[in-house]
Amino acid sequence: PRILPILLLLLFAILPTTAQDKKKPTPKIEPRVFFAIPLGAAPGKTTKLILRGSNLDTATDVKILDGKGSVKILSKGKAGAPDKNPDKVGDTQIEIELKLDIKLSGTSISLVVVTPSGETKPHAVLIEPAIPEREPNDSFRSAQAVRLPTIIEGTIGRPKDIDLFRFDGKKGQKLHAEVLASRMGSPLDAILTLYDTKMEQIASNDDFDPAHRDAKIEIALPADGAYYLSLVDAHDSGSALHVYRLIMK
């Protein structure tokens, strides 16, 4: 006779739990933007950008949070991840056409991708004008000639790729060379190396800040003449996703 009350108590204890389990909502898969390809767009122009991330293939809209402009989605879908690392470079992407107002000021604008599962956190896109990196530029002989100050938009496009830039400098001139890549979500782990006219190394840097993997060189040039600045990936990696902006001034 005591068994029946115990069974009833167990039944009542199980039923509410089962009901609660049935009511649990399916967790939403939040969309994320990891980085843009290229990392920036120029005010007053129309630029095609690819936004890489997770759960972006259902995007319905892209909003510009600050500044004036317009965005048009050109395509969206799944995307292959090199080295099978979607947690770092994303496995979905959307291609957009971004048109920015010519009167924009500052160094960046923020984009938000809208999906049925929610909106992404604002992602910064650089808006300072830049010149394109030009291949081949992987040797001292083929180094891309630039004039300071400049901003270069480039890619370490393949494993063991080297991007080399040549510029003229004066003795005592202060050089500031800085990579924007890791801070913007790019998988690139940059190393900068500076060579003098004799092609001898005079400075190098990898990871100047523990918060990211970008590189920076600040130095007073030792003599008049030509200088060479190389940019490589610290792990000899490279792909169309290893994008960067190089500031030289």
Side-chain angles (χ1 to χ4, degrees), residues 3-4 24 40 54-55 76-77 88 99 102 117 149 165 168 170 184-185 190 195 197 211 237:
I3 295 176
L4 185 59
K24 285 183 180 179
S54 59
N55 305 304
K76 55 189 176 182
K88 295 181 180 180
K99 186 173 183 180
I102 196 170
S117 299
F165 305 95
D168 293 325
K170 297 290 185 180
M184 306 303 297
Y195 302 87
T197 302
S237 296

Side-chain angles (χ1 to χ4, degrees), residues 160-176:
K160 298 185 179 180
D161 188 15
I162 301 172
D163 286 352
L164 203 61
F165 305 95
R166 178 191 182 279
F167 65 95
D168 293 325
K170 297 290 185 180
K171 182 178 180 179
Q173 177 183 343
K174 292 182 178 180
L175 171 69
H176 175 99

